[in-house]
Amino acid sequence: MEGGGFRILEEESTVPQQRYNTVESHGRAVIQMAPMEFGSSVESSTGPRYIKSKLGTKLHTDARMSMASSIGHSSNRSQSDSKLELFGFDSLVTILGLKSMVGEQGQTSASPMDGENAGIAIGHHKETEPKLGTMMGVFVPCLQNILGIIYYIRFTWIVGMGGIWQSLVLVIFCGSCTFLTTISLSAIATNGAMKGGGPYYLIGRALGPEVGVSIGLCFFLGNAVAGAMYVLGAVETFLDAVPSAGFFQESVTVVSNVLVNGTTNRSATTISTPSLHDLQLYGIIITILLCFVVFGGVKIINKVAPAFLVPVLLSIMCIFIGIFIAPRPHASKWITGLSITTMKDNWSSNYQCTNNAGVPDPNGHIYWDFNALLGLYFPAVTGIMAGSNRSASLKDTQYSIPVGTLHATISTTVMYVLSVFLFGALSTREGLLTDRLLCATVAWPSPIVIYAGIILSTLGAALQSLTGAPRLLAAIANDDILPVLNYFKASEGSEPHVATLFTSFICVACVIIGNLDLITPTITMFFLLCYAGVNLSCFLLDLLDAPSWRPRWKLHHWSLSLIGALICIVIMFMISWTFTLVSLALASLIYYYVSLKGKAGDWGDGFKSAYFQLALRSIRSMGANQVHPKNWYPIPLIFCRPWGKLPDTISCHPKLADFANCMKKKGRGMSIFVSIIEGDYHESAEDAKTACRQLSAYIDYKRCEGVAEIIVAPSTSNGFRSIVQTMGLGNLKPNIVVMRYPEIWRRENLTQIPSTFVSIINDCIIANKAVVIVKGLDEWPNEYQRQYGSIDLYWIVRDGGLMLLLSQLLLTKESFESCKIQVFCIAEEDTEADELKVDVKKFLYDLRMQADVIVVTMKSWEAHTSHNNVSKKDDHEVYKIAQSRTRTYISKLKEAAKREGQPLMEGGKQVVVDEQKVDKFLYTMLKLNATILRYSRMAIVVLVSLPPPPLNHLAYCYMEYMDMLVENIPRILIVRGYRKDVVTLFT
């Protein structure tokens, strides 16, 4: 169909009583669905029909067209499929993809929260990079990282130093940590689709962006430093195998007193170690070469990875063969072969001092114990995240990550346990401690093969670190949380080249350090921090058990995750208190920086779920009973646009948020900002959502803790009545209604604003809500405008202490902290003014309030009428004008009621007019206004009690009373309490 992009058809429904126009929509239009009358047929409507859409296009229909599905199917499909045609009119068809259920492709929608793809995938998208399976994507990278440098050149030394039984405890302890972390990792990874970023993505979505970024950046540093460790291990192995390749002189250590099983060996031992400068030179060159390989992308890495893995497996096989056939001819004097005697000798530990190269030396300054061995060994099991780091390159993360990671963890842990017994029964203690490459010495058929395997295995692990770390950094940058990381962004399907260069720079910097034993504890802390984050994430999600928490992995339990997290924390402190505190401080600084500078985002993390459940528990525990005055907090309901005279671009009066902050002590408490849109809900729902977003942005901009609510109602009165009845839960309902005084009412509709104003006040009284009406809001000071003067309270009726509390809250703000409080008590003549003053002073003293008390006497209306005259001061022009206006208005109402033959009505309600009472109320307000002007003309803020609207009284007259009260007072708060005390005398 041309023009509108729609094809309109008519088809008989399966229900004979009515037919519906069916539509296939490819554009944004709303089509009216018209039911057909019973008995009509296709032939009866052969004429063209037009349906008008929001696009303004007339859509032509013709019943003679061939019948087809509104969802894009041909006319020969089954009758059961055609039943879905009715849903073609639902907007959810194009939003959530119902069409894909019957074969039609649509466009994938995006999540409004963080831009992630929606849960329903529609159609097929083009893959921009090759996807990896379980073997090459997870198992091989994990295996290459776990079977790294520590096993080849440090594990025999660890067995010699800690003995068989402590080495066994060490392996099992670290293996249990990684095993439990793998279970937690598998549970989170199988809870839904997983984007790039590996553990950062998992932790961030579980614990929030601040925690995710802080731990993610630390884990990135750990991976980058780990690459340097592997490079140094490869270079050290190469120089040990080919000493002549060194450009600088080797370090030669002669050890004459080596402790063996508690005894001193008097024979001198000469040990050569590569020069530090050679390690640095070769390390930089190799790092640069690996960087070029990583720049080649996933395709080249996948081709190179098997070349690195095969020598690893062959070398391990050669080591085990050499162990079982040892000792061979010309073997070292330390190689005894598998012997029970040797195992007994090596069963216990033999901790001693070493030099920087790890060579036992009585004069060495490094003393080794179990905790130190723990820090040295743990990097050997830190490769379990290598597969999840490449989550964006996996075909099926929910299957590959748990299967590949768990198999790699279990297989390597079993191998390490067997190696402890085999190495402990193979060589003497002296050989374990002094032969840095005992694995190569014992391997079959020649150490050269093992040297090549060790070098390739460590380079493969380095390659995996240099591959995973840049992708992790790019994933953090792509989430657009920290603007400083924008340089490391990488578009989907492209290689993170800038992140790779930055990772290589860090790796080169660590290579320059050149000390393997100094680097490994640093790596350990970063990895343990990440593992603890993964376990805590799973623990939190499992404990909260939100409806969206449905992992496919069935072996996890919250207790296992908690034990895994505790083990990680224990290992951190066992290794080094200093390194632990430094790593935690670094993570805390990043967290604080993200909180300040990061962009807010809602990832549906576990903390928000925890806050939600905690809030529910708190609300249930509070119940709906009356709150004790000591625990009372103001929860103001800010009426943003009660009179509808602000421009549409302004969501709230600019000074209302400033005033709302003045009602909270040190920011404690919650404000609810409410606005009412008059109209039909179906027509104005989208406008309300837009206005709510604007109001929320305004609240955040003003740094006022609160929430925004927009209500659509036929009128302001009806909308407020709904709000005051339903807003809030339990004792967290708003208890104070705050609104601006309608100073514009006389220039606008004379019936709408007075009736709405009175209706709001009456609704608050019935709902037992306090009321604070602000007059002079335009001149209300902000937080930077310091005020000097007095805050005057005209305490007329008992209000539960609300007016006193508001004055104290004002003093807590910087704008009013230099002011003093004056309390004016209004009393009629012939009363005991002195006794009243004493009582009020005593009451304020018990309330811990410092204020000056002033008792003001005022003539009553009866005294005024008995003298039958009004003094010159009382004969105020404002009073006369107000009296004339009210009488004129009343006369018009009476004339209209007389013509219609009905009782006196205002706003659809019957009212009673007593002109003498009207004059009395006007006089009372005049006297009160005169008193305020006499004593408080220079006051910063005046607080006065709000009189309730008289029952069945004219709303217009009540507005005249209020105008009389606030006349010529620049800034006044009209306050009405409610039937609850908000202050208490008692401790």
Side-chain angles (χ1 to χ4, degrees):
M1 178 73 196
E2 296 180 0
F6 288 82
R7 183 175 57 187
I8 308 298
L9 307 172
E10 289 185 2
E11 181 176 356
E12 291 189 9
S13 171
T14 56
V15 182
Q17 282 77 11
Q18 62 180 9
R19 285 189 299 109
Y20 294 94
N21 300 315
T22 58
V23 58
E24 177 184 3
S25 78
H26 300 283
R28 182 176 178 84
V30 177
I31 307 300
Q32 296 179 356
M33 183 173 65
M36 305 299 294
E37 304 225 348
F38 175 76
S40 62
S41 63
V42 176
E43 289 77 14
S44 64
S45 58
T46 56
R49 302 178 60 210
Y50 294 88
I51 302 176
K52 189 174 181 180
S53 72
K54 282 190 176 181
L55 295 176
T57 307
K58 290 187 177 181
L59 306 176
H60 179 261
T61 66
D62 192 344
R64 292 173 295 183
M65 299 172 60
S66 61
M67 301 183 63
S69 167
S70 65
I71 317 177
H73 277 270
S74 60
S75 60
N76 58 354
R77 66 175 184 179
S78 63
Q79 181 67 21
S80 61
D81 290 339
S82 65
K83 292 180 180 179
L84 286 174
E85 291 179 6
L86 180 60
F87 294 95
F89 297 97
D90 197 335
S91 61
L92 296 180
V93 170
T94 56
I95 296 176
L96 296 182
L98 181 62
K99 291 185 179 182
S100 64
M101 297 172 60
V102 290
E104 180 169 338
Q105 296 180 4
Q107 186 176 0
T108 306
S109 63
S111 170
M113 292 296 185
D114 55 1
E116 297 177 12
N117 291 335
I120 300 179
I122 306 174
H124 302 280
H125 63 278
K126 182 180 178 180
E127 294 185 357
T128 56
E129 63 177 12
K131 296 297 183 178
L132 305 177
T134 304
M135 178 62 70
M136 297 305 300
V138 179
F139 183 76
V140 171
C142 290
L143 207 62
Q144 284 184 319
N145 277 265
I146 296 174
L147 297 178
I149 187 62
I150 299 298
Y151 178 77
Y152 290 105
I153 67 175
R154 286 293 184 268
F155 194 67
T156 56
W157 185 88
I158 290 174
V159 175
M161 189 70 71
I164 294 176
W165 80 270
Q166 290 199 16
S167 299
L168 191 63
V169 172
L170 182 69
V171 170
I172 295 175
F173 188 43
C174 296
S176 63
C177 174
T178 55
F179 178 76
L180 294 175
T181 304
T182 301
I183 292 179
S184 299
L185 174 69
S186 302
I188 305 177
T190 58
N191 191 48
M194 181 177 172
K195 292 176 64 178
Y200 154 73
Y201 182 86
L202 300 178
I203 296 173
R205 269 58 180 180
L207 301 181
E210 295 85 359
V211 179
V213 172
S214 58
I215 295 181
L217 288 178
C218 290
F219 189 60
F220 158 74
L221 291 175
N223 276 276
V225 176
M229 180 189 71
Y230 295 130
V231 169
L232 286 176
V235 174
E236 184 177 335
T237 304
F238 171 72
L239 293 177
D240 282 338
V242 188
S244 59
F247 294 99
F248 302 93
Q249 185 177 3
E250 293 182 337
S251 300
V252 179
T253 304
V254 178
V255 183
S256 57
N257 296 321
V258 180
L259 293 176
V260 179
N261 294 332
T263 61
T264 304
N265 185 2
R266 296 294 179 181
S267 61
T269 303
T270 301
I271 301 175
S272 299
T273 56
S275 171
L276 176 62
H277 300 298
D278 285 329
L279 292 174
Q280 295 169 341
L281 178 62
Y282 280 102
I284 293 173
I285 295 173
I286 292 176
T287 303
I288 295 174
L289 294 176
L290 292 177
C291 181
F292 280 112
V293 176
V294 175
F295 264 97
V298 177
K299 291 183 179 180
I300 295 181
I301 294 172
N302 292 341
K303 294 178 181 179
V304 174
F308 287 111
L309 180 62
V310 172
V312 173
L313 301 178
L314 290 177
S315 63
I316 293 176
M317 186 182 302
C318 292
I319 291 173
F320 280 100
I321 293 175
I323 291 175
F324 284 106
I325 66 174
R328 302 199 309 272
H330 308 292
S332 173
K333 61 180 179 178
W334 298 316
I335 305 299
T336 63
L338 297 179
S339 171
I340 298 297
T341 303
T342 305
M343 181 182 292
K344 290 181 180 179
D345 294 338
N346 294 329
W347 184 259
S348 59
S349 61
N350 186 22
Y351 297 113
Q352 52 188 294
C353 295
T354 66
N355 57 18
N356 290 331
V359 178
D361 187 352
N363 300 319
H365 61 280
I366 301 177
Y367 179 77
W368 292 88
D369 55 9
F370 183 82
N371 293 348
L373 287 185
L374 185 61
L376 177 62
Y377 170 74
F378 194 83
V381 296
T382 55
I384 62 173
M385 296 292 181
S388 60
N389 285 344
R390 306 166 70 178
S391 56
S393 302
L394 299 177
K395 293 179 182 178
D396 185 0
T397 56
Q398 298 189 36
Y399 175 80
S400 297
I401 289 179
V403 173
T405 307
L406 191 63
H407 279 79
T409 303
I410 294 176
S411 59
T412 51
T413 302
V414 172
M415 191 199 73
Y416 277 121
V417 171
L418 293 176
S419 298
V420 170
F421 289 102
L422 295 177
F423 287 137
L426 175 68
S427 173
T428 62
R429 180 86 65 176
E430 187 177 1
L432 293 173
L433 293 175
T434 57
D435 192 347
R436 297 170 55 83
L437 288 172
L438 183 61
C439 293
T441 303
V442 74
W444 176 89
S446 171
I448 297 177
V449 178
I450 304 305
Y451 287 142
I454 295 174
I455 293 172
L456 291 176
S457 67
T458 51
L459 291 181
L463 182 64
Q464 297 298 335
S465 296
L466 293 178
T467 302
R471 282 165 171 74
L472 177 60
L473 182 60
I476 299 175
N478 287 339
D479 278 336
D480 201 20
I481 298 175
L482 286 180
V484 73
L485 299 179
N486 289 340
Y487 300 102
F488 305 112
K489 286 184 177 180
S491 59
E492 186 177 357
S494 63
E495 295 294 327
H497 295 307
V498 179
T500 301
L501 285 176
F502 183 68
T503 305
S504 302
F505 174 78
I506 296 177
C507 187
V508 168
C510 294
V511 166
I512 293 175
I513 297 176
N515 190 338
L516 192 63
D517 296 332
L518 181 62
I519 292 176
T520 50
T522 307
I523 302 171
T524 302
M525 294 304 165
F526 290 143
F527 279 95
L528 281 169
L529 194 62
C530 178
Y531 294 171
V534 171
N535 283 294
L536 288 176
S537 301
C538 186
F539 167 72
L540 180 63
L541 293 174
D542 212 359
L543 193 64
L544 295 174
D545 197 18
S548 61
W549 176 244
R550 298 186 304 273
R552 298 179 185 273
W553 192 251
K554 302 301 183 183
L555 294 180
H556 80 284
H557 190 267
W558 66 265
S559 59
L560 297 179
S561 302
L562 180 60
I563 294 173
L566 293 176
I567 292 177
C568 292
I569 297 173
V570 170
I571 292 177
M572 291 178 68
F573 283 99
M574 287 180 63
I575 293 173
S576 172
W577 282 82
T578 304
F579 280 107
T580 300
L581 294 178
V582 169
S583 61
L584 292 176
L586 178 61
S588 301
L589 287 176
I590 298 175
Y591 180 92
Y592 183 70
Y593 181 77
V594 175
S595 301
L596 291 180
K597 302 295 184 180
K599 297 181 181 179
D602 188 1
W603 290 352
D605 54 87
F607 280 136
K608 287 185 172 59
S609 179
Y611 297 153
F612 177 78
Q613 294 198 19
L614 181 62
L616 290 180
R617 291 178 181 270
S618 300
I619 292 173
R620 287 197 299 266
S621 64
M622 291 173 61
N625 298 325
Q626 181 174 345
V627 178
H628 194 277
K630 289 189 292 184
N631 300 325
W632 188 89
Y633 283 90
I635 306 178
L637 179 70
I638 312 297
F639 211 3
C640 299
R641 300 167 59 90
W643 320 123
K645 298 305 175 184
L646 290 174
D648 293 336
T649 56
I650 300 178
S651 57
C652 179
H653 191 285
K655 291 299 182 69
L656 268 178
D658 295 331
F659 180 75
N661 280 328
C662 291
M663 301 181 67
K664 294 183 290 186
K665 184 177 182 180
K666 296 181 180 180
R668 300 191 183 103
M670 180 183 67
S671 300
I672 302 176
F673 289 76
V674 174
S675 186
I676 298 174
I677 297 178
E678 295 186 358
D680 182 75
Y681 176 70
H682 291 181
E683 297 178 357
S684 305
E686 292 299 325
D687 296 337
K689 294 177 183 178
T690 302
C692 188
R693 288 192 294 267
Q694 294 174 351
L695 185 56
S696 298
Y698 170 78
I699 295 172
D700 295 336
Y701 168 74
K702 297 295 288 187
R703 294 180 297 177
C704 183
E705 292 185 1
V707 296
E709 293 289 345
I710 303 294
I711 303 297
V712 180
S715 64
T716 302
S717 299
N718 292 335
F720 182 83
R721 191 165 294 122
S722 300
I723 291 171
V724 81
Q725 293 182 78
T726 60
M727 189 70 67
L729 292 173
N731 276 324
L732 290 182
K733 291 182 178 180
N735 46 32
I736 301 178
V737 176
V738 179
M739 59 182 173
R740 183 186 186 187
Y741 182 77
E743 302 171 53
I744 62 172
W745 76 277
R746 203 178 302 280
R747 301 194 303 269
E748 305 295 337
N749 191 316
L750 295 182
T751 58
Q752 180 181 1
I753 292 182
S755 60
T756 302
F757 183 75
V758 172
S759 174
I760 289 175
I761 295 177
N762 285 328
D763 290 341
C764 293
I765 294 174
I766 294 174
N768 196 26
K769 308 290 184 185
V771 182
V772 176
I773 302 172
V774 188
K775 191 256 183 180
L777 189 60
D778 294 329
E779 291 78 29
W780 191 264
N782 57 34
E783 55 182 334
Y784 305 107
Q785 295 175 326
R786 186 174 293 273
Q787 305 294 307
Y788 298 93
S790 63
I791 300 175
D792 292 356
L793 281 66
Y794 285 81
W795 194 10
I796 301 175
V797 297
R798 183 177 182 272
D799 59 357
L802 178 60
M803 190 182 299
L804 299 174
L805 182 62
L806 288 179
S807 64
Q808 294 299 310
L809 292 176
L810 289 177
L811 290 182
T812 61
K813 304 301 175 182
E814 294 183 2
S815 302
F816 299 96
E817 63 181 1
S818 300
C819 299
K820 66 175 182 178
I821 296 178
Q822 296 184 139
V823 178
F824 291 86
C825 298
I826 306 298
E828 295 182 357
E829 289 183 337
D830 303 329
T831 58
E832 299 292 339
D834 293 337
E835 294 182 3
L836 177 61
K837 184 175 183 179
V838 172
D839 292 341
V840 173
K841 278 189 173 182
K842 177 64 169 58
F843 179 71
L844 295 179
Y845 176 80
D846 292 336
L847 287 177
R848 295 88 64 198
M849 293 179 58
Q850 295 182 354
D852 297 332
V853 179
I854 302 171
V855 177
V856 178
T857 58
M858 190 172 67
K859 288 183 178 180
S860 63
W861 172 255
E862 288 75 11
H864 158 70
T865 54
S866 63
H867 289 82
N868 199 20
N869 65 346
V870 179
S871 65
K872 184 177 181 181
K873 185 176 181 181
D874 290 337
D875 191 10
H876 199 280
E877 182 180 358
V878 175
Y879 174 75
K880 293 296 184 182
I881 294 175
Q883 192 178 44
S884 175
R885 282 196 302 262
T886 55
R887 289 178 178 177
T888 301
Y889 181 77
I890 293 171
S891 298
K892 291 181 178 180
L893 287 181
K894 288 182 177 180
E895 292 177 0
K898 186 176 181 180
R899 286 195 308 268
E900 297 174 0
Q902 295 180 354
L904 193 62
M905 305 286 291
E906 185 192 49
K909 295 181 180 180
Q910 184 175 354
V911 294
V912 178
V913 175
D914 187 340
E915 295 189 13
Q916 185 177 6
K917 281 190 175 182
V918 171
D919 292 341
K920 176 181 178 181
F921 293 152
L922 284 174
Y923 173 80
T924 304
M925 291 303 174
L926 172 67
K927 294 292 295 181
L928 182 56
N929 176 262
T931 303
I932 295 175
L933 291 177
R934 177 183 178 185
Y935 293 99
S936 304
R937 186 178 294 273
M938 302 303 295
I940 301 300
V941 183
V942 175
L943 286 81
V944 65
S945 299
L946 171 69
L951 188 63
N952 296 328
H953 205 72
L954 289 174
Y956 176 87
C957 295
Y958 184 76
M959 289 302 303
E960 289 285 358
Y961 308 153
M962 298 303 299
D963 271 2
M964 186 71 71
L965 174 63
V966 303
E967 183 73 25
N968 296 326
I969 302 176
R971 196 183 297 159
I972 184 172
L973 302 181
I974 313 172
V975 181
R976 175 175 177 81
Y978 63 126
R979 294 184 295 273
K980 292 180 182 179
D981 291 330
V982 298
V983 294
T984 179
L985 303 175
F986 305 102
T987 302

